[in-house]
Amino acid sequence: MSRQVFLYDPPERFVAGTVGLPGRRTFFLQASAGGRTTSVALEKTQVAALAERMDELLDEVVRRTGGNAPVPAVAPADVTDTAPLDTPVEEEFRVGTMALAWDGEEQRLVVEAQALVELDAESEEDLAEAEERLLQDEENGPPMLRVRLTGAQARAFAKRALDVVNAGRPPCPLCSLPLDPEGHVCPRQNGYRRGA
């Protein structure tokens, strides 16, 4: 079966968002353009890592070009997107592997999110070899979302993604575990229930 690539070059909108209440949220990346929308599910930690690495990559691009790349230092207000995810949110796949790259010729940040795939391997070496083959297989690999962003779009995405990640449950001041509305059993309080 040939690989399905959801390509957005450029997207009209590319955001991270959630469905559900804090503590039970499902995280999504959503790209849309030309009347079509693609939503892929991923973990909260993946959203945070993507946003942080995106900012780091953009900072490196600015540093290496001596400030000549079309990358703003912060997200411009005119491209900030605070709207909820487009509905209905229909998951195309769950993300396993993500990649970031800077296309110097086109001055675009490329984001790739590839579907989660389970690999059978006898050893660590076999697993590494299987992973490499999977990443290199452009024709028969798992589904992939590929988005090409301007520097301003990338900064806006990263800011919103970090805001979405941080909008969850507040941390306990003693143990840093998330507080539920009804409190939680705090290990630093020797198991006593701590209120929100």
Side-chain angles (χ1 to χ4, degrees):
M1 185 171 130
S2 65
R3 173 182 287 219
Q4 185 175 14
V5 177
F6 301 93
L7 177 64
Y8 290 86
D9 184 15
E12 292 169 6
R13 184 173 193 230
F14 181 59
V15 294
T18 62
V19 173
L21 297 173
R24 291 176 173 65
R25 299 185 295 170
T26 302
F27 287 78
F28 289 93
L29 296 180
Q30 191 176 75
S32 54
R36 67 187 179 103
T37 300
T38 303
S39 301
V40 297
L42 69 170
E43 298 297 323
K44 177 180 181 176
T45 54
Q46 289 175 299
V47 175
L50 178 61
E52 290 165 4
R53 298 300 183 272
M54 193 177 280
D55 268 339
E56 290 171 7
L57 178 60
L58 293 172
D59 291 343
E60 183 66 16
V61 167
V62 169
R63 189 186 69 73
R64 287 188 181 193
T65 62
N68 294 327
V71 177
V74 296
D78 62 326
V79 294
T80 300
D81 184 345
T82 57
L85 294 174
D86 294 332
T87 56
V89 178
E90 296 176 0
E91 178 182 324
E92 294 291 341
F93 59 84
R94 179 157 287 282
V95 174
T97 305
M98 295 184 297
L100 285 176
W102 178 257
D103 179 347
E105 286 184 23
E106 297 291 324
Q107 301 289 299
R108 296 284 187 265
L109 182 100
V110 182
V111 179
E112 290 183 349
Q114 184 171 279
L116 181 64
V117 175
E118 297 206 15
L119 299 173
D120 292 326
E122 298 292 322
S123 68
E124 290 292 322
E125 294 167 359
D126 290 345
L127 181 61
E129 187 178 307
E131 286 175 344
E132 188 61 31
R133 270 196 320 271
L134 187 65
L135 291 172
Q136 300 303 322
D137 189 355
E138 282 294 318
E139 293 181 17
N140 299 311
M144 176 189 291
L145 171 65
R146 182 177 292 145
V147 182
R148 297 173 59 82
L149 303 167
T150 65
Q153 287 174 315
R155 287 284 191 205
F157 171 88
K159 180 184 181 321
R160 176 187 167 127
L162 289 173
D163 289 347
V164 166
V165 166
N166 294 326
R169 298 172 289 172
C172 171
L174 297 176
C175 69
S176 298
L177 292 174
L179 286 172
D180 290 321
E182 58 275 348
H184 83 120
V185 177
C186 181
R188 301 270 318 266
Q189 290 282 314
N190 201 20
Y192 288 101
R193 183 165 292 277
R194 180 163 180 80

